[in-house]
Amino acid sequence: MNQLVFVKNDQVVTDSLNISEVFGKRHSDVLRDVRDLGCSEDFRQRNFAESSYINSQNKEMPMYYMNKKGFTLLVMGYTGKEAMKFKEAYINEFERMENELRAPRILSEKEQLMASMKLTIETAEELTTVKSEVKEIRTMVEQQITLDHGEQRKVQKSIAQRVYELAEQIEHPQLVFNSRDQIEVDVRQEVSRYFRELHREIKDRFGVASYKDIKRKDLQSAINYINNWIPRKVVVS
């Protein structure tokens, strides 16, 4: 009885040859019964599929596949005690195989191993993608982060240190001044000019409104620039 129905294209079906054999009818009569059902064309297309098979004379012959609805309609007119027994057997087998087809299939040990390996690979690929995306986002964020308070102080100290280094060069022995007071005034003026000039060039160099807005990624570059900065000119009146 397990051969009464079978799975074809993910659907439980039987065929006219099978019905012919089980119900003891000539196949040509079963074909005629299918063609003379008088059902709607829509029902026929949904529940019957015309096909063919090769007979013992190696000749191609017509046949039909049908699902449970098609089978039920076809054998409705088959009568007799034996016919009823076969109808019940078919219907029970249709239901059994349909339930089996709907139920989740238990994977073999090999299939489970393959599925596990596939899942591991897919997970690894997804993790790599996520890590790459996170890295890109982190890089973008880091590129936009400005200096914190401690880093701002570091830049500020570097500016002051460079300016006062340059200020020491103003008091050169070769320079002649009218008085010591005049020297101090001139040095203070130059120091003030150095601060203004260096701050302005830092803003221009790094495209910021203030040294506080320098991007963290540019901190070391800014320090190096400050440490090697030279004013445009030194004027001592």
Side-chain angles (χ1 to χ4, degrees):
M1 288 300 183
N2 288 341
Q3 300 303 313
L4 293 177
V5 299
F6 48 91
V7 176
K8 182 176 178 64
N9 297 329
D10 295 325
Q11 187 176 17
V12 181
V13 298
T14 188
D15 60 45
S16 53
L17 288 170
N18 196 311
I19 292 173
S20 169
E21 181 179 353
V22 172
F23 284 90
K25 292 178 172 289
R26 292 191 301 175
H27 188 236
S28 58
D29 291 338
V30 175
L31 294 179
R32 181 202 61 210
D33 292 342
V34 172
R35 292 169 182 148
D36 294 345
L37 279 174
C39 60
S40 67
E41 187 60 27
D42 180 67
F43 186 91
R44 182 183 298 278
Q45 290 180 1
R46 288 175 179 271
N47 302 289
F48 293 92
E50 189 170 3
S51 185
S52 62
Y53 72 100
I54 304 299
N55 65 9
S56 57
Q57 285 78 41
N58 203 32
K59 183 179 179 181
E60 186 176 14
M61 302 294 291
M63 63 173 286
Y64 281 95
Y65 290 104
M66 65 200 76
N67 60 17
K68 183 167 67 175
K69 288 184 178 180
F71 165 80
T72 303
L73 185 64
L74 173 64
V75 302
M76 191 178 294
Y78 294 176
T79 59
K81 186 175 180 179
E82 286 296 306
M84 183 59 67
K85 181 179 71 173
F86 294 137
K87 288 179 187 180
E88 291 178 2
Y90 266 103
I91 291 172
N92 289 335
E93 189 64 10
F94 263 112
E95 290 182 352
R96 185 191 71 80
M97 289 203 67
E98 285 174 348
N99 290 334
E100 185 177 290
L101 191 62
R102 285 193 294 265
R105 188 170 66 86
I106 300 176
L107 300 178
S108 67
E109 185 175 342
K110 181 179 179 180
E111 288 173 327
Q112 291 180 25
L113 179 60
M114 294 298 292
S116 177
M117 291 174 63
K118 182 180 179 182
L119 180 61
T120 300
I121 293 172
E122 290 175 349
T123 302
E125 290 175 348
E126 290 176 358
L127 184 60
T128 300
T129 301
V130 170
K131 285 182 176 180
S132 177
E133 291 174 351
V134 169
K135 184 177 180 180
E136 290 178 5
I137 294 172
R138 182 181 298 166
T139 300
M140 291 173 61
V141 171
E142 289 177 349
Q143 288 176 345
Q144 300 303 316
I145 295 177
T146 55
L147 305 181
D148 60 26
H149 181 71
E151 292 164 337
Q152 292 175 14
R153 289 287 299 158
K154 187 174 182 180
V155 172
Q156 195 175 38
K157 288 180 179 180
S158 296
I159 292 173
Q161 182 178 349
R162 182 56 179 163
V163 166
Y164 288 120
E165 285 178 355
L166 293 169
E168 290 178 358
Q169 299 174 17
I170 297 174
E171 297 180 308
H172 196 280
Q174 295 179 357
L175 295 177
V176 178
F177 301 97
N178 294 327
S179 68
R180 183 62 186 176
D181 291 339
Q182 182 65 39
I183 292 175
E184 292 177 354
V185 171
D186 290 337
V187 168
R188 286 197 299 272
Q189 290 176 346
E190 286 300 288
V191 167
S192 179
R193 185 177 70 83
Y194 287 172
F195 272 114
R196 291 195 304 272
E197 186 176 327
L198 181 49
H199 276 281
R200 184 172 61 252
E201 292 191 18
I202 288 173
K203 291 191 289 184
D204 292 342
R205 174 88 174 183
F206 296 96
V208 293
S210 164
Y211 73 90
K212 296 179 181 180
D213 299 321
I214 293 173
K215 300 297 187 297
R216 180 173 291 172
K217 67 182 182 67
D218 296 327
L219 174 60
Q220 191 56 51
S221 178
I223 297 295
N224 292 339
Y225 178 76
I226 293 167
N227 291 341
N228 294 284
W229 179 75
I230 299 176
R232 291 188 178 89
K233 58 182 179 178
V234 177
V235 177
V236 179
S237 302

